[in-house]
Structures are given as structure tokens and as C-alpha cells.
Amino acid sequence: MATEWEQLLRRLEREGRLRRRQFLRALLASSLTVAGASGLVACAGGQQATPTTAPAAGQTPAAASPTAAAGGELKVAGYDNPNKWKGKTLVFAGFGGAMQDAQRKAVLEPFARLTGATIVEDTTDIGKLKAMVDAGAVEWTVAQQGTFESRVLGKQGYLEPIDYSVVDKTNFFEDVAGEFDVAVIYWSLILAYRTDKFGNNPPQGWKDFWDVQNFPGPRAMDKVDGPVGNLEFALMADGVPKDQVYQVLRTAEGVERAFKKLDEIKPHVTVWWEAGAQPAQLLTDGEVDMAQAWNGRIDAAQRQGAPIAIQWNEGLLRTDSFIIPKGVKEKELAMDFINFATRPEVQAELSKYIPYSPTNAKAFDLMTEELKARLPSAPAQKDKQLLADASFWLENLDRLTEQFNDWLTK
Amino acid sequence: MAETAAPLQRAVVATQPARRRWSISWSRVILGLFSALVLLYLVAPVAIVIPMSFSAAKYLSFPPPGLSLQWYQNFFARADWTSATIQSIRVAFTVMILATVLGVAASLALVRGSFPGKDIVNLIIVSPLVVPAIIVAIAIYGIYVRLYLVQTFWGLVLAHTVLAVPYVVVNVSATLRGFDIRLEQAAQSLGANAWQTFRYVTLPMISPGIFAGAVFAFIASFDELIVALFIAGARGRTLPMRMFEGLRMEIDPTIAAVSSMLITFSVLILASAEFARRRSRGD
Amino acid sequence: MTTGEVLAGRAYRESTTSRRLEFRRQLGYFLLLLPTLLLLLVLFVYPIVRLIVTSVYDGNHFTLVHYRRIVEVDLYLRVLQTTFTIALQVTLLCLILGYPLAYFLATLRARTARLLMILVLIPFWTSILVRTYAWMVLLQRQGVFNRWLLELGLIDEPLRMMYNRIGVLVGMTHVLLPFMVLPAYAVMRGIDRNLLRAAYNLGASPFQAFLRVFLPLSLPGVAAGSLLVFILALGFFITPALMGGRTDMMIAQLIETQIRTQLNFPFAAALAAVLLVITLVIFAIYNRLLGIDKMFGGGY
């Protein structure tokens, strides 16, 4: 019996071996290629926060592409030494997507061209930033984050203080120059509506958004920002003038009043959206007639011909900031880069590619009227809106997010 | 109960003429219809995704306002998309092999062996599935920095292997539990050594489980975003990292083209493997 | 080889198996386990424990403040409850849809089944974002299904199939169904069909044969599938956030927000620890209750 078994095995092996060998060889070969290539990555990765100039994804070529600047190469006052940062590498971590595409053309490539620095791009993540500082292995030179998040990080000791002897804040709008962050763009949470539903009587602000009698139709509201925006809008819908909103919110009664007002709209909200692309989609498809939305995506949908309009009245103006992780090696380079990114020429250039708007007031001098009309921080729009109060939210975000989520899921 | 009865039943059956195994009956028709509906449900979104990938619009829209190959062009023209895809396939393939080998070995030990602490090991092995990815990412990152594994290929592979092994173990253990251990014992009593027993008795029996585990391991790595975001770095960017870029503001319709291509390739590869197998067997 | 020979072989083996041999055998098994165990201990258990310690130790002393918050604020227990409810509903749906499908596939010829299995795997290859978008197209108020149903006169008002629990279940079940079908199929494939024939010959109806013979034998696969689906469902949050209503918030989302917006790592770690512990307790009970190890294939 045992010998029979052995014979069987031998026969099976004879028959099976060839194919198995070939298979194993193929397998080995493929994993060796994988291993070989990864060996290179591993070597490069060993140097961590000083990435090499090896060409790869995320690498910005030092030479600006011909399409970089419409109508001639961008010139920036004060940046005329192409060898200023020669041999230095700046790792920039942005949000990716269309925004980073625009930044590449308007900020990263011109900076590389005008200063000689090599730029490596990555994608930002706040958890990762904290983890890399905790571990003492900072990979990024400059990162982008929401301003609230940046201020929390600054308070918790994860960021380098900004050196305003390098970063020129002369023409910045209010609250742009933070202790640990510099706001680089404005964006806005606004009321967007379908033009074909409301005809000559479009909603004028949050009072109308809340008014389901005179402005019937399904609505979409923002849940990804939690209480930010929703509480302000509720108070304005309840008749609080926009310049008193945060004053009222700082009191316990004010918060209670906001939630009470939110109770009124709750049954009429058909969609609470989570992703920035959602409200534009919902409005375009006619799923909802009115929505809170981020201005950038609505702008893009409008240009695709969607029958959607933005009501700038009582919108909430917010900012994104550039920050420098604590323990960064190239601190001077980082400061200079932030200064560069906030120059009027650079900010005006950026707005050509994406409708996020300058934090340096002088940038508007370099723009067409047509462009200004689309930007949230241009004077005509800025005056209609409420500027989000970073210091209020820094103190209250945790508590109010909890309360908001509790209210939302009840 | 089934355990002791099986060989006897088999012996009994062998002496009697076999009845038609699966007679055509109404219950079978209903079962077939129900299965077809479930398959339809699984495939339904594809009917939207593929047409959408040929859309002439600048954002996701259905029905497409016009036809265009722009998103495919965009994919192939841009090194960041193609390199991310290649990177993901390399990582996922390596993870699949590692996790399958480790997982099959561990399953044999956990199902066939009996040693103290087996229950705890079981808990440890499934726990990577339970802990949210963001927590795993932060925790692993801290260790990785000290081991110089951040931004390395093998760092990502090992981290993904941790996440993929449970899939293999759960699947392979289930198939191992389902089959009769006495077949192994019989082989051994007939003189087969441990490896021969595994190779010629156990392996063929549990291969559907290994296949399921390997597929899940591949997917676990191929779809994984958050751990990759922490560990991969700009130069080792994976496909999900590329897909989720800029998500805060918009969805890049290139992902519809990517999804369509992945569907097509996976169907082609699996189907051609199936046909090749048929031919080599001569049936 | 006949049953007699099998039994004889077993007896022979048992009679010569000394304690030392048995010890060596177990040592062999342990060595098979060792690489996986080491990998998990170094790259998972140790880092996670280190992180979870931050939820009870604030650098100077022991504190339970984060856990107290979880217990005292309604929100967290409610979201945990929602999370487990959704996970359970999705698991049941996968079971209801997946078991018959796996059973059907297992009755087909192996190669036909493998070809159909390609369809089961399709949900894996579509990015979650496009997949969600596709569901929007199909399910929303003015979506494809509602238009069909209205045209056919089956409904007068559009059905709400998205931005509520239905949307969550449709979206999650779709992605998780393969995790039920594959292991269930793998085990069903291994079931000896002769057992069913024997049952028929002994006078069982097809239903009885299924219930008394096939079903119990397929349980390890179902158990594995349910476990995977349930555990994976617990960690979902993007699909429910995009396709669900305001009440369909899941715990992973809160954990994510704590890290990404509030930057409160210790509290996030506490939430994760609670999720982990509850799940592992459920897993342990489940294992004990089903007693899989003892019921099936127990060669020891």
C-alpha cells in the first residue's frame, strides 16, 4: 500500500513538476522585479525628509511647462535670483486634485523656476502630520490645511511659528497672518439654488432657506463641516445680524437658539451631504432645489452650463492655511515659500485656474472684473459674507461638534 | 455526527445506482432566478460606470451628454495615474503572495494544532479587521519611523500584509474545518510525509478557500487608502491615493475610466485563466 | 481505498503515536504559525497597544476621562448602537442573498461556477466613489428605478431609496456580498455530494436532505462569511456617509473626525478601543456558541 502511494506521488510529481517549475520561476521572476524596483524606492526612502530629485509621480519639473502662465512667464517682485535655493528641496503637501493642479501651475512651478529649488509634491493629512512630528521624522516642508485645524495644531505645539520678517503681511486681510499659519486662500460655504425653480424671486439669504412656505422644494445641508456654518446660518435665519453672530454664539443661550432654529429646518432637509462634490451634483440632477455648498464646485458646474446660481449674501468665508511642521529642516526655505505663495502676482495667477480667492488684498489689482465677480474675497462678495471666526471655533469646535452630531443623529 | 457517518454512507451509496443528482424542479428554477437577480444586483452599477467613463462631460454625469475618450486619454497621458496603478498592482500582488503563504500556514496550525493560547491567537489574527484604518495608520507609522520603513515598498507591503492575513486565515480555516481530517490521516498512514500529504491531499481540497483568501488579500491591499497615505509617500503613490486626491472638492471622472478598465481586465484575466485551464485539462 | 483501510490506517497511526511525536507535531504547527504571529505582534499588536495606552495615560497619570465621556454623552453609545445595528442588518442581508447564490454556484459544474464567480468579484474593481455615484443615478428621487416604477404605474410618488437606511444597506451589502459568497462557496464545494445522495436513498426529501445534511456541513463557510461581513461592516463610514441619512452615522466616522478635525488622538484611541473590545467579545461568544472547532473536522 505504502509503495503504491509513493509510486502515485512520483508519477504526479513527474507530470506536475515541469509546469510547477515554470510557474514558480515566473513567480520568482515577477517578485524579483518587484523587489528590485522596490529596493530603489527603499534606498531613496531611507533618506526620508530629504527626497531626491529622482523623477517620479508627484515630482514637479524644475522648468516650468510652456502652459504655466497664460501670456508670458509669471514675474514676482523680489524673486529674481534663480539660484537662491539651488540644491534645496521643498516637499509640499497639498490637498491634491484640481486645487493642487492649479497650485502647481501658479505657485510650485514658478517658485522652482524663480528660486532654483526642487519641489516634491505629496498629499496632506493632518493625522500624518501629527504622527511625523511625534516621531521626529518630518517629511514635509510646507503643508496645507484648513485654518481651524492649523490653529489647533499650532496650539498643540506641532507647528513652527511663522517668521513675519520673511513673510510680508503688509497687505493681508484680517486674521490671515496667524501665529503658526498663514491663510493662503479664501473659499466660501454659500447658498446655491436652481435658477429655474425660483425665477425672479431667488432666495436672498438663510431666512429664505429656512422659509419652506415661500421657497418650497427639497434642500441639502452640509454635515461634513458639522456645526461650522450651520450654527451661524441658523442664527442669521433667526434674524441675528451677521456682525453679531459670534457674539451671540459665545453665550449658552445663543447656542441653544441656534439649535432651536435648526430644529425647524431638520424635517425639510432631504440630503445631508458629506463630500464637496455632492451639492453641485444634487442641484444639477434636480434632486434638491437649494443647498449649502462650497463655491468652487458650484462655479465649475455653472461653467458646465448647469442652471445653478450662488447667493453670496450671508455666506461663510473660510480659509485654508500653509503651515510648517515642527522640526522641519529647511525652515528658511519654508518661510520664503509661504511669502512667495502670498504675493499678489502669485495669488492673482492662482485664481485664474481655480476660483479660490486671494488673502492678499493687492492681488485684486491684477485681475479682470469678470474674474473678480467669481471670487469669494473680492470686495463685492466679501462685504456680503460673514468671516468665520477662527478663535471662536478653536475654543468651541470639540464641544459643539459633539453637540451637533448628537442633534443630527437624534 | 456527520463525521462518523460519512464513510459508511459513502460505502452504502457506492453500491446503489445513483439517482439523478439535480433533478429539474421548480425549487431549482426559483433558486436559479434568485441567483440571477443577486448577480444582477452585483453587476448593476457597472452598467452606469462604463458608459459614464466615455462621457464628454467634465464631471461625472449620466447619461453622458456626448461620447469621448478624454478620461482614458487623461489616464494614459498622465504619469501620476499610470505609475500609481502600476504601484498598486505591484504592492497588491506581493501582499497577496505573502499573505496567502503566511495565512495558509497559520490556518493549518490554528485548525489542526492544539496548543495553549490558541483562542487568543485567533482574536489577534482577526483584530486588524476591526481596528479602523486611521488608527492602524497612526499606530504603525510611529513604529515604522524607527524601523526606517516609511516611504518604502516593503514597508507598505508588510503593513498591508498585516491587514490582508486575516482574510486568508478566515477563509482557509473555514474550508479546513469543512473537510474530513481522516483523508490526511489516511495519506500519512500510507506513508506520505507531511509535505506530500499537504500537497496532494489537503491543498486540492482547500483550494477554493485559498482562492477566496488570495482574492480578498489582493483587494485588501489594492483598495487600501489610509495606511498607504501614511506610509507610501509621494513617490510610492498608490491608485486609491491618486483617486482620493482632491476629493474634498470634486470627483475626477478619470476614476470612472480606471474602474471600467479594472473591470475589463479582471474579467479578461480570470476568464482567460479559466479557458486556459479548460484547454490544459482537455475538456 | 475502502473505509476499512482508512480505519485500519488510523488505528495503526494512533497506536504508534507517542507523546513525543505528538509534541513534535504540535511544535511543527506552532512553527507554521510563528511568522504570522511575529508579524502581527510587531506591526500590529504592539503599535496598537501603545496607541491605546494614550487613551488611559495622559503622560503623567492614569485617567479614564475619555471613557467616561463615551459613557456619559448619549451620542457615542447611540452611534455605537447604530454601527452594530447596521452591521447586523448588512450581515443578514448578505446571508439572505449570498447563501442561495453560493449554494446555486456550488451545484453547477466547477468551471461554470468559476466563470460566474467573476461576476461576484466585479464590485471590487469599481472605486467606491464611482460606485456611489452609480447608485445615485439608479436610486435617487429622479433616478432610473423611480422613473421606471412611475412609468409602469407601480408607484405614484418616487420612492426614497437613498439618503436613508435603505441607501446604506443597498450600498454596503453590494460591496460586502462577495465576502459572504466566496467563503460559503469554498466550503460548499468541498461537501461530499454522496452524503446528499445517501440521504435521498434513506428516504429524505430534498428539503430534509438540505436541512439535515448540507446546511450543517456548510456552516463553517457561512460562519466565516458572516464574520467577515460583520466585522468589515463595523469599520465602514464613507458609504453610509454618502448614501445614508443623518441618523446613519457610524463609529469609524466619529473616530476619523476626532483625528482629522478635533485632533484628539487619545479620545479617538478610546473610541477605537471600545469598538475593538466589543467586537472581540462578540467574536469570542460567536466562536463559543457555534463551537465550530468542536462540531466540525475536529481531529483532536
Side-chain angles (χ1 to χ4, degrees), chain A residues 22 53 85 115 183 186 191 232 282 287 290 350 352 397 400 406:
Chain A
Q22 280 169 343
T53 52
W85 298 111
T115 67
Y186 280 101
L191 194 172
E232 288 95 327
L282 292 163
E287 270 303 287
M290 241 194 267
L350 182 72
K352 283 186 199 162
L397 190 60
L400 290 179
D406 186 53

Side-chain angles (χ1 to χ4, degrees), chain A residues 249-264:
Chain A
L249 265 188
R250 277 176 210 273
T251 63
E253 302 80 55
V255 171
E256 202 182 316
R257 185 173 165 189
F259 276 106
K260 222 174 215 152
K261 192 69 185 170
L262 281 170
D263 283 337
E264 285 177 24

Side-chain angles (χ1 to χ4, degrees), chain A residues 180-302:
Chain A
F180 298 97
D181 74 295
V182 179
V184 288
I185 52 155
Y186 280 101
W187 51 280
S188 200
L189 183 61
I190 41 80
L191 194 172
Y193 59 92
R194 274 188 76 95
T195 47
D196 55 352
K197 287 283 159 156
F198 301 105
N200 298 325
N201 181 30
Q204 294 299 320
W206 300 110
K207 233 179 219 152
D208 294 347
F209 190 88
W210 253 254
D211 182 353
V212 292
Q213 250 76 50
N214 296 313
F215 296 89
R219 285 145 162 83
M221 281 174 79
D222 171 7
K223 73 175 150 122
V224 70
D225 292 303
V228 182
N230 283 315
L231 296 187
E232 288 95 327
F233 299 155
L235 285 183
M236 288 190 275
D238 207 26
V240 177
K242 76 179 165 65
D243 53 350
Q244 286 171 30
V245 164
Y246 286 106
Q247 216 173 305
V248 175
L249 265 188
R250 277 176 210 273
T251 63
E253 302 80 55
V255 171
E256 202 182 316
R257 185 173 165 189
F259 276 106
K260 222 174 215 152
K261 192 69 185 170
L262 281 170
D263 283 337
E264 285 177 24
I265 195 77
K266 204 177 188 178
H268 305 284
V269 180
T270 43
V271 185
W272 289 89
W273 56 264
E274 184 72 21
Q278 266 178 312
Q281 198 72 58
L282 292 163
L283 285 164
T284 309
D285 294 351
E287 270 303 287
V288 301
D289 298 334
M290 241 194 267
Q292 299 170 346
W294 294 337
N295 70 293
R297 196 62 197 78
I298 298 296
D299 185 276
Q302 280 175 330

Side-chain angles (χ1 to χ4, degrees), chain B residues 11-152:
Chain B
V12 171
V13 172
T15 63
Q16 295 183 2
R19 253 162 70 159
R20 262 170 71 198
R21 253 208 287 182
W22 303 102
S23 55
I24 303 292
S25 65
W26 60 270
S27 61
R28 183 138 175 80
V29 171
I30 290 176
L31 181 67
L33 277 176
F34 182 84
S35 304
L37 282 176
V38 176
L39 286 174
L40 195 67
Y41 164 57
L42 288 170
V43 179
V46 176
I48 306 289
V49 172
I50 292 180
M52 207 159 58
S53 69
F54 294 103
S55 170
K58 290 284 171 213
Y59 52 93
L60 289 183
S61 60
F62 190 90
L67 294 180
S68 140
L69 286 173
Q70 58 176 330
W71 304 115
Y72 291 88
Q73 265 167 354
N74 192 42
F75 177 86
F76 287 107
R78 294 190 53 170
D80 54 345
W81 277 106
T82 43
S83 67
T85 309
I86 292 168
Q87 176 73 356
S88 272
I89 292 173
R90 277 175 41 191
V91 172
F93 187 74
T94 319
V95 167
M96 179 182 80
I97 291 174
L98 256 179
T100 305
V101 171
L102 289 174
V104 170
S107 307
L108 281 171
L110 287 171
V111 176
R112 295 282 184 255
S114 57
F115 39 83
K118 220 176 80 167
D119 286 346
I120 307 249
V121 175
N122 259 320
L123 288 184
I124 288 176
I125 282 184
V126 292
S127 49
L129 297 176
V130 188
V131 180
I134 183 78
I135 298 285
V136 178
I138 288 171
I140 289 189
Y141 188 87
I143 305 294
Y144 265 37
V145 167
R146 279 185 279 158
L147 299 174
Y148 296 100
L149 281 168
V150 178
Q151 294 193 9
T152 65

